[in-house]
Amino acid sequence: MSTDPRIRRSREQLRQALASLLQEVSYESLSIRDITARAQVGYATYFRHYSDKDALLMDLLTDSIERLQALLPPGVDATPAEEGAVIFEHMAQSHHIYSILLHGEGTQRILDEIRAVAVGEVIRHFQARPDSQVPLEVAATHLVDSLIALTRWWLLSGMPYSPQRMGQFYAVLVAEPVRSFLEPRPVALAAQPPAGR
Amino acid sequence: MSTDPRIRRSREQLRQALASLLQEVSYESLSIRDITARAQVGYATYFRHYSDKDALLMDLLTDSIERLQALLPPGVDATPAEEGAVIFEHMAQSHHIYSILLHGEGTQRILDEIRAVAVGEVIRHFQARPDSQVPLEVAATHLVDSLIALTRWWLLSGMPYSPQRMGQFYAVLVAEPVRSFLEPRPVALAAQPPAGR
DNA sequence: TGAGTTATGATACACGGTGTATCATAACTT
DNA sequence: AAGTTATGATACACCGTGTATCATAACTCA
């Protein structure tokens, strides 16, 4: 599906137009007309592919985030600082697009989606320790929100510390304190999942 | 100044109109025309008092935040959990307005202002410990951002825990870990400030 | 009380962005 | 080659913003 070269071309032109315009002006100040003009694509054509301005941005962001997920295989035994460094490294590589996400005016909804997915992942992989003072949901939300906030501050400030250093800050300020309330869920030992097809 | 009853009346009508409309619909979906209609005030009159929609919201928020600041005298010796409970208590009282601030689409800029002031306050009252692994600015930003994020999550979730409980979460997840990197600045001992009038 | 000042309401306006509709044409598929 | 489908161009209705104007009402101060 969507193998029609005209469709792929239009979408690619629009994606690249947005990416290139974002290096010049703010996301909020861009109109859809601006994007279609740069993309050399008809104005009406835009709405044949994306419902609104956010949809195109989300399209770009999805790519970056999938790349980030690939960097974080679930069962790793990396230290929090190492894991954090990987994340901040990735953020630095795609800092243009993440800056828009984290500092933009109209990107709250998109960020909320991403946040929810990330919190879900944490909950899927961790559980509250028996004597934890903090519910799982609260700790997971805090973990994700703090990482986002740290990244946000870092990008906004022009990345004044190395990704490795940021990974350490994340580890000592966020991950290690949270680890005293959460522990990894025991992995399913056997290869065969119980049932449920 | 601004003692003219007509001015006070217009502003008060607008403030109350926004406050009452926010109980019914989202901030983003409100137009200035909606506000002036509810306020029984001419459309053009709005711009004689507020430059745009955010300015009126900021006006409302300023009141709430001043009330919060009054609750947090600088030199208190409360525990982090107690201090947190006071903050969450206040948030609960004015949860309507803070929900708009923390979850709204067009309130990023306002929230940034507030965040910056709060970080400045933390920096004014704390300093990095000699052996701290984390710079003062990073720790202060993390402290503020995490508190905002916790509050945001709490309000969005319908305040599922008591303010006291939230204060504890804040203490163990944020404040206490940060305190291992920051310490209160030594207070100026004498009553006479040095010079500089 | 009365004269001067000023905020107001009503209205009109220019501007800019969004999203839909239409239609001839070009690009694709089979 | 015939049929399908995406495209560009264009026009349009809609809505919100912020400014301008002006007669009128509300206020201040003497």
Side-chain angles (χ1 to χ4, degrees):
Chain A
M1 58 187 67
S2 89
T3 179
D4 190 326
R6 292 172 295 182
I7 293 178
R8 285 205 311 275
R9 178 184 171 275
S10 291
R11 293 198 181 148
E12 198 47 38
Q13 303 264 92
L14 287 170
R15 292 161 53 107
Q16 289 188 10
L18 177 56
S20 98
L21 283 169
L22 284 180
Q23 319 246 45
E24 304 166 19
V25 292
S26 76
Y27 176 66
E28 299 80 42
S29 71
L30 273 179
S31 71
I32 294 177
R33 284 208 150 82
D34 294 335
I35 300 171
T36 56
R38 171 70 61 97
Q40 310 225 60
V41 154
Y43 176 67
T45 298
Y46 182 92
F47 298 95
R48 293 177 181 123
H49 299 285
Y50 299 101
S51 59
D52 54 20
K53 212 173 74 170
D54 281 3
L56 176 55
L57 179 63
M58 190 60 180
D59 196 14
L60 288 190
L61 280 165
T62 301
D63 286 359
S64 292
I65 287 168
E66 276 170 5
R67 249 178 289 137
L68 173 58
Q69 282 177 326
L71 292 178
L72 299 172
V76 287
D77 42 18
T79 68
E82 288 167 354
E83 195 173 283
V86 168
I87 294 171
F88 284 101
E89 194 88 63
H90 167 81
M91 295 288 168
Q93 277 171 14
S94 304
H95 65 97
H96 265 113
I97 189 86
Y98 285 117
S99 291
I100 279 99
L101 172 67
L102 296 172
H103 196 225
E105 277 285 328
T107 55
Q108 201 64 33
R109 192 155 288 138
I110 297 177
L111 184 54
D112 280 350
E113 279 183 53
I114 294 166
R115 196 194 319 261
V117 171
V119 171
E121 284 297 300
V122 174
I123 289 179
R124 225 159 54 81
H125 290 296
F126 289 86
Q127 62 188 13
R129 292 189 189 277
D131 57 339
S132 172
Q133 301 174 258
V134 181
L136 171 60
E137 189 191 6
V138 175
T141 301
H142 166 70
L143 188 76
V144 169
D145 282 349
S146 292
L147 176 57
I148 291 176
L150 266 180
T151 308
R152 194 189 113 96
W153 169 84
W154 185 54
L155 294 183
L156 250 64
S157 312
M159 300 183 278
Y161 299 100
S162 71
Q164 290 71 31
R165 194 93 194 279
M166 289 303 297
Q168 282 191 334
F169 298 160
Y170 163 72
V172 298
L173 286 174
V174 184
E176 285 162 12
V178 164
R179 289 286 164 100
S180 52
F181 305 109
L182 301 188
E183 61 192 1
R185 283 190 195 278
V187 266
L189 296 179
Q192 295 81 2
R197 100 187 275 334
Chain B
M1 55 187 67
S2 88
T3 178
D4 189 325
R6 293 170 296 183
I7 294 177
R8 284 205 311 275
R9 178 185 172 278
S10 291
R11 292 196 181 150
E12 197 48 36
Q13 303 262 91
L14 288 169
R15 292 162 52 110
Q16 289 188 10
L18 177 57
S20 97
L21 284 169
L22 284 180
Q23 317 246 43
E24 304 166 20
V25 293
S26 76
Y27 176 68
E28 300 80 44
S29 71
L30 273 179
S31 70
I32 294 178
R33 284 208 149 82
D34 294 335
I35 301 171
T36 54
R38 172 70 61 99
Q40 309 225 62
V41 154
Y43 176 68
T45 298
Y46 182 92
F47 299 96
R48 294 179 180 123
H49 298 285
Y50 299 101
S51 60
D52 54 19
K53 210 172 75 168
D54 281 4
L56 176 55
L57 180 62
M58 190 59 180
D59 196 13
L60 288 190
L61 279 166
T62 301
D63 286 358
S64 292
I65 288 169
E66 276 171 5
R67 249 177 289 137
L68 174 59
Q69 281 178 327
L71 292 177
L72 300 172
V76 286
D77 40 19
T79 67
E82 288 166 354
E83 195 171 282
V86 169
I87 293 171
F88 284 100
E89 193 89 63
H90 166 82
M91 295 289 169
Q93 277 170 15
S94 304
H95 66 97
H96 264 113
I97 189 85
Y98 284 118
S99 291
I100 279 101
L101 171 67
L102 295 172
H103 196 224
E105 277 285 328
T107 54
Q108 202 64 34
R109 192 157 289 138
I110 297 178
L111 184 54
D112 281 349
E113 281 183 52
I114 294 166
R115 196 194 320 260
V117 171
V119 171
E121 284 297 300
V122 173
I123 290 178
R124 225 159 54 82
H125 291 297
F126 289 86
Q127 63 187 12
R129 292 188 190 277
D131 58 340
S132 172
Q133 300 173 258
V134 181
L136 171 60
E137 189 191 6
V138 175
T141 301
H142 166 70
L143 188 76
V144 169
D145 281 350
S146 292
L147 176 57
I148 290 175
L150 266 181
T151 308
R152 193 189 114 95
W153 169 84
W154 186 55
L155 294 183
L156 249 66
S157 312
M159 298 185 278
Y161 299 100
S162 70
Q164 289 72 31
R165 195 90 195 281
M166 289 303 297
Q168 281 189 335
F169 298 158
Y170 163 72
V172 297
L173 286 173
V174 185
E176 284 163 12
V178 165
R179 290 285 164 99
S180 51
F181 305 109
L182 302 188
E183 62 191 0
R185 283 191 195 277
V187 268
L189 297 179
Q192 296 82 2
R197 98 187 282 330

